[in-house]
Amino acid sequence: MQLRPMRLVVPMVLILGRTSGSAQAHQTCTQPPDRLSRQREVAAEVNLARTNPHTYTEIVEQYFARLGDDRLNRRGETPILMNEGRPAVDEAIAFLRSAEALAPLRLSSCLSQSAQDYVAESGASGRVGHRSPDGRGPSERAAERVGHRVYCGENISYGRDSPREHVIGLLVDDGVASRGHRKNIFDQTYRSMGIGVGSHSRYENMAVVVMCMDELPAEDAPAG
């Protein structure tokens, strides 16, 4: 039986990831229409979870309705093998039921360009993780596009079929003991976000969600 490969990496969060990037010259951040559409879809899912966690409870419950005790979530033709299975899902559902609604994050085209830069940098090589080969993290990469210091965390998801599946995976955080991806999404100190989407040579596709404490201009249309 073929199983679909999926992966989350340890997220960059407050303690580990919010380092300030150094300011450099502001660069152009225009996105092609097809990519912008996909970025907005992921951003809308992140904001739906933040602004209406109770609705997202039902989404997560429905998504895992066929999850068995064998840790196989039988969706479509290819089952998804989880690390923890039902305990991780039930924990996420309990969290969402009790979570308070938060303000949506502004979608910044320059933060999205920063996230997209990292997709291009790591997708072709099959690398995983948050650090560029030269040691830069999400804040440093974002500063190069924004043009000044920013303080950011980052979530990365691999091998999902849709924007919704990327966000569901980040919320459940199966196999990540800290649940840091979920904590990032529900961190009330974040104000802006950028989205990168594209192919990955090992896991087929990836989505990068960079979230920053700085309230950057909403250079794109509202993300939902």
Side-chain angles (χ1 to χ4, degrees):
M1 176 175 58
Q2 181 181 5
L3 300 177
R4 180 177 302 161
M6 292 186 175
R7 178 160 180 166
L8 298 172
V9 298
V10 177
M12 294 290 276
V13 296
L14 174 61
I15 296 176
L16 298 178
R18 283 187 183 161
T19 55
S20 61
S22 18
Q24 297 187 19
H26 183 83
Q27 302 183 42
T28 180
C29 303
T30 304
Q31 302 289 319
D34 59 336
R35 182 188 299 158
L36 178 58
S37 176
R38 288 182 291 154
Q39 291 171 341
R40 286 176 174 171
E41 288 176 359
V42 177
E45 285 295 322
V46 172
N47 276 338
L48 178 58
R50 278 178 63 94
T51 62
N52 201 334
H54 297 170
T55 292
Y56 228 88
T57 301
E58 300 175 4
I59 292 172
V60 173
E61 287 178 326
Q62 182 177 5
Y63 182 81
F64 290 103
R66 299 181 63 193
L67 174 62
D69 294 336
D70 54 4
R71 296 179 291 124
L72 285 178
N73 188 32
R74 294 167 175 81
R75 291 187 59 83
E77 297 181 359
T78 307
I80 301 168
L81 178 63
M82 301 181 67
N83 292 296
E84 302 170 66
R86 178 57 64 182
V89 173
D90 289 345
E91 180 188 316
I93 289 171
F95 173 89
L96 291 168
R97 280 177 177 161
S98 62
E100 295 184 3
L102 299 178
L105 299 175
R106 291 170 174 262
L107 178 62
S108 162
S109 60
C110 282
L111 287 181
S112 291
Q113 185 60 61
S114 171
Q116 199 64 47
D117 291 343
Y118 195 56
V119 171
E121 181 180 300
S122 59
S125 66
R127 292 177 58 253
V128 297
H130 298 275
R131 291 287 179 185
S132 298
D134 60 5
R136 289 174 302 142
S139 295
E140 289 81 11
R141 292 190 295 268
E144 294 175 0
R145 287 293 183 176
V146 173
H148 57 77
R149 291 180 182 272
V150 286
Y151 298 83
C152 307
E154 185 176 73
N155 287 347
I156 305 179
S157 170
Y158 303 87
R160 312 284 171 167
D161 282 344
S162 67
R164 175 155 290 179
E165 286 188 296
H166 279 292
V167 174
I168 289 174
L170 293 168
L171 288 171
V172 173
D173 239 358
D174 176 51
V176 180
S178 68
R179 307 302 191 216
H181 299 98
R182 184 195 306 157
K183 291 176 182 177
N184 268 347
I185 291 175
F186 281 92
D187 189 331
Q188 62 182 346
T189 65
Y190 288 135
R191 296 290 182 267
S192 307
M193 70 173 156
I195 305 294
V197 292
S199 60
H200 189 272
S201 62
R202 289 176 59 190
Y203 295 104
E204 296 187 6
N205 63 73
M206 62 185 294
V208 175
V209 183
V210 58
M211 295 157 285
C212 299
M213 297 171 66
D214 312 74
E215 189 153 354
L216 301 173
E219 298 160 294
D220 297 330

